[in-house]
Every structure is written in C-alpha cells, then in structure tokens.
Amino acid sequence: MGGGGGSNPGPVSCGSWIRRPENVNLALIGRSRRPDSSPSVLEIFSFDPKITSLSASPLTEFVFEECDGDLVSVAVHPSGDEIVCSTTQGGCKLFELCGQELNVKLLMKELPPLNDVGSQNCLAFSVDGSKLATGGVNGHLRILEWPSLRPILDEPSAHKSVRDMDFSLDSEFLASTSSDGSARVWKTDDGVPITTLTRSADEKIELCRFSKDGTKPFLFCTVQRGEKAVTAVWDISNWKRIGYKRLLRKPACVMSISRDGKYLALGSKDGDVCVAEVKKMEVSHMSKRLHLGTSIKTLEFCPSERVVLTSSVEWGALVTKLNVPADWKEWQIYLLLVSLFAASAVVFYIFYENSDSFWQFPLGRDQPARPRFDSFVGDSQYADDPFGPVDM
C-alpha cells in the first residue's frame, strides 16, 4: 500500500489512473481548496508497481483560479492524452497531457460547450474514446461526440440529480442513475432513451457498471432496499433483472470494474473496499477500514496491474495491491507455448524411434530386410531421387 504527497495538503476530491502510450501508469489526483482558501490543484504522480506506491511529490500540477471553486469529478480519455474535470464554479476544464514517460506537463485548452454548465457529479469517456458523457448536479445529462464536441444528447431533466453513469464495452449504451433511486439507459449514437430499469417502490438503484469482458452482456447496479444492500444484475439483451448478490453487505458509495472485466469493486461509506470476481460473483479481496470512517470518493482499477487507486477527503489517496490470483504476463504465455512446442518435439522423437512407423514397419517371414535409409545417400543411383523413378 502506498500514498502520494504533494505541496498542497488539501482534501482529495477525485482521482483516476492515466495509461500512457509508453505503457506507464500515472495517477491523477484532484485536491479541493484548503481551509485557508488556497486554490484547487490537479496533480499527476508516477506509480512504481514493484513497491505499489505513488511518488512522494507530483510530476506536474495545475493550480486553478480561486473563482473556479472546488474540484468535483474527473475523466481521462482512453488514449491517456486528454483530461476533463469539473469544478463547482468554473464549469468543465480540458487539459492536454504533453510529454513522454515521466516528463509530462498539463496544458489547459478551451472546452466551449461545457464552460458554464455548472457542477458535474459524473464525467465519463466511452470505451472507444469517441464520446464524452456529463451528468450534472441539477440532473442535466449530456453526451458529446469526441473530439468534435457535437451534441448527441442534451437532456436537462434526465434525472433529479445524476448519481452515477457508465458506457457499455461497445460504447453503444450509456446507463445513468439518479439521486431519487431511478436508472435509465440511453442509445449513444442518437441519445434516445431505451428503458428505465425496473425496481420496487422501496428500492433505490444507486451505482452502475457494465460488464467489460466481452462475453457476458450484463449491467451491474448497487441496489439499496431499506437496510439491505445488494449488487443486482441486468441482462442487457432484454434489460431484465436476472439476480443479485450481497457482496459488500453495507451501502456502497462508489463502484468500479477492471479494464478486462474480471473484477468488480465496491467502496463503502465507512472506508471498506471489497473486490469480487465477476465470473463467480464471489468476494476475492477485502480491505477493512482502508479509509477508516470516511466515505471513499475514488475507486479505480489500475489499467495493467491488480492494484486499485482509492481516495477520501480525510485520508487522501492510496494505492492497494489486491490479494487475487496473479494474471499471466505476455512473456509467460510465450514461454509456455515454446515449452509446449519443445515438449511435443521430444515426444514425437521418442515415438518415432520406438514405434512401428512408416520406416519401421514389421517385416514378414519372406520379406527381405529393408535397406538403411542412410544407404540411399551414398548410392549415386538415389542421390537425386531417393524414392527412385516414378512412372508418369
């Protein structure tokens, strides 16, 4: 487990991983204003997978104007080159991440359609990077084409207040939940609403994540029913609920799914984190009191490691290595294939030497002994064609 420092000790309000083209993972941390009214700061830290820790100081940072207020949410484009964040008073900001490896800088750019949209609870890029969705505190839901910023959906009354949202793996659907417990699904190519998820009168759908493994067409949602908290599953082929599991066993405030879709994570309002294997829907990792007594604000899987980034207002940002089975690395897969090939060659050689093959068929009683194969090589009659003449 490791943490990240920085010159600004302000409370961490949001965070995300950044997967750079050179396969380097960076951690993006957003800090809100301190009690002495110091401005909000966006910081980027390096990550060392060997010791599972963030750098002690940021690689680069951007200091906001006092008039921008606090940071609320952040989204990183799948390319790792662009970042969108929301502030309480300054609308949304667009940043370009310039440089390579650990020599990076943040360059702010214009984002005209979202300059004055107000505070956004949720920001999300589609998996293919072609769309950006924003969900406002006021319930306004938008889907923009990226990078043209052409509006696809602009619905002021989509929800009472947008609680959570997520794109499907094929970027065809967007699911969004509301502070009033409702949840809707939208077509992302034209912004048309498809369905409102069914729920009973005493149920509240709070968080949502689509499956990401490419084989199971599911939508996972946390559902609160009185004191009972469950993770329910909808089949996205017909949008019917097919079951539920009690994973965290307490109300969740944040939800995440790994990039390969193998693991689903839930964070509680008192600092616990549980990670479940999607295939079995069973808890495979539990971190009790990771952010003791504090609601978890950020929970996100590292793109290439079994590590999660978490944050809370009181305890800041942490990275935690998961106690789950290690994945096969690419070089390990190639080594296994080469080993299997070599083993097959050895088995074939042993079989060839000890079996009745074409060259070692059993001889009959009156059958003359077959010549040695190497005798063909020394005989000029067979030097060019060891099988002799062929009648055409």
Side-chain angles (χ1 to χ4, degrees):
M1 184 185 302
S7 58
N8 185 343
V12 176
S13 54
C14 55
S16 178
W17 289 101
I18 304 175
R19 179 68 181 272
R20 299 296 288 150
E22 56 270 16
N23 293 327
V24 173
N25 295 311
L26 306 177
L28 177 68
I29 304 297
R31 297 183 185 273
S32 294
R33 294 173 296 178
R34 291 178 290 180
D36 60 2
S37 297
S38 295
S40 298
V41 178
L42 200 60
E43 301 172 322
I44 295 180
F45 294 85
S46 64
F47 169 67
D48 188 342
K50 294 181 180 179
I51 58 175
T52 315
S53 180
L54 302 181
S55 56
S57 58
L59 301 175
T60 187
E61 64 180 22
F62 181 88
V63 181
F64 290 85
E65 300 290 338
E66 288 283 355
C67 60
D68 289 327
D70 292 325
L71 282 167
V72 179
S73 55
V74 67
V76 178
H77 192 270
S79 67
D81 293 330
E82 295 170 305
I83 299 164
V84 176
C85 63
S86 171
T87 62
T88 54
Q89 301 173 25
C92 291
K93 310 289 186 181
L94 171 62
F95 294 89
E96 182 179 353
L97 189 59
C98 307
Q100 294 183 345
E101 296 185 356
L102 303 182
N103 184 25
V104 294
K105 292 186 179 300
L106 286 167
L107 177 63
M108 190 167 73
K109 303 175 69 176
E110 292 296 320
L111 192 58
L114 302 176
N115 281 345
D116 302 307
V117 295
S119 182
Q120 304 296 298
N121 280 337
C122 310
L123 298 170
F125 279 103
S126 60
V127 177
D128 62 6
S130 66
K131 300 173 182 68
L132 170 70
T134 69
V137 175
N138 58 2
H140 198 140
L141 185 66
R142 295 175 176 86
I143 302 177
L144 303 176
E145 191 177 75
W146 194 268
S148 69
L149 300 179
R150 179 184 69 85
I152 298 174
L153 171 67
D154 192 334
E155 179 54 64
S157 55
H159 293 293
K160 181 178 180 180
S161 180
V162 179
R163 174 76 170 82
D164 195 19
M165 63 168 58
D166 190 44
F167 281 98
S168 60
L169 178 63
D170 58 7
S171 302
E172 183 179 357
F173 304 114
L174 176 74
S176 59
T177 66
S178 173
S179 58
D180 63 9
S182 62
R184 303 178 73 180
V185 181
W186 315 77
K187 282 278 287 184
T188 61
D189 57 352
D190 54 15
V192 173
I194 297 176
T195 187
T196 298
L197 298 183
T198 57
R199 61 189 177 106
S200 60
D202 59 346
E203 286 183 333
K204 292 185 68 176
I205 302 173
E206 297 185 331
L207 307 170
C208 60
R209 287 295 180 273
F210 280 98
S211 57
K212 295 293 194 296
D213 64 356
T215 62
K216 302 175 183 64
F218 297 151
L219 173 63
F220 303 99
C221 296
T222 59
V223 179
Q224 192 71 24
R225 187 174 184 179
E227 297 297 321
K228 185 178 181 181
V230 300
T231 301
V233 185
W234 275 262
D235 185 338
I236 69 174
S237 64
N238 53 23
W239 303 110
K240 292 183 178 179
R241 192 183 330 201
I242 59 177
Y244 68 89
K245 264 296 188 70
R246 296 194 68 186
L247 298 174
L248 188 59
R249 296 184 176 272
K250 60 176 65 176
C253 58
V254 64
M255 187 182 198
S256 180
I257 195 164
S258 62
R259 181 167 293 196
D260 59 8
K262 291 183 178 181
Y263 293 97
L264 185 72
L266 297 169
S268 74
K269 297 177 181 179
D270 58 0
D272 291 354
V273 170
C274 83
V275 177
E277 185 180 355
V278 170
K279 186 177 181 180
K280 300 178 180 179
M281 284 300 283
E282 295 178 355
V283 175
S284 54
H285 173 95
M286 177 69 78
S287 290
K288 290 281 191 179
R289 299 177 292 279
L290 186 62
H291 292 260
L292 181 59
T294 306
S295 181
I296 294 178
K297 301 284 291 183
T298 298
L299 174 59
E300 188 172 340
F301 286 90
C302 181
S304 60
E305 306 286 337
R306 292 305 182 200
V307 172
V308 291
L309 171 67
T310 58
S311 73
S312 63
V313 171
E314 183 175 348
W315 299 102
L318 297 172
V319 287
T320 304
K321 187 173 183 178
L322 302 178
N323 296 322
V324 298
D327 291 325
W328 284 84
K329 301 294 184 182
E330 187 174 348
W331 67 269
Q332 291 175 315
I333 296 175
Y334 285 129
L335 180 61
L336 177 63
L337 292 176
V338 170
S339 301
L340 290 174
F341 178 80
S344 300
V346 171
V347 171
F348 176 80
Y349 177 77
I350 295 174
F351 179 79
Y352 169 80
E353 289 294 325
N354 296 280
S355 65
D356 290 333
S357 65
F358 177 81
W359 299 105
Q360 294 179 318
F361 53 82
L363 300 176
R365 179 181 302 176
D366 300 325
Q367 184 176 350
R370 66 179 181 274
R372 288 169 53 85
F373 178 69
D374 54 7
S375 67
F376 289 128
V377 179
D379 192 335
S380 61
Q381 179 182 355
Y382 299 103
D384 295 329
D385 187 359
F387 293 99
V390 178
D391 293 329
M392 302 299 292

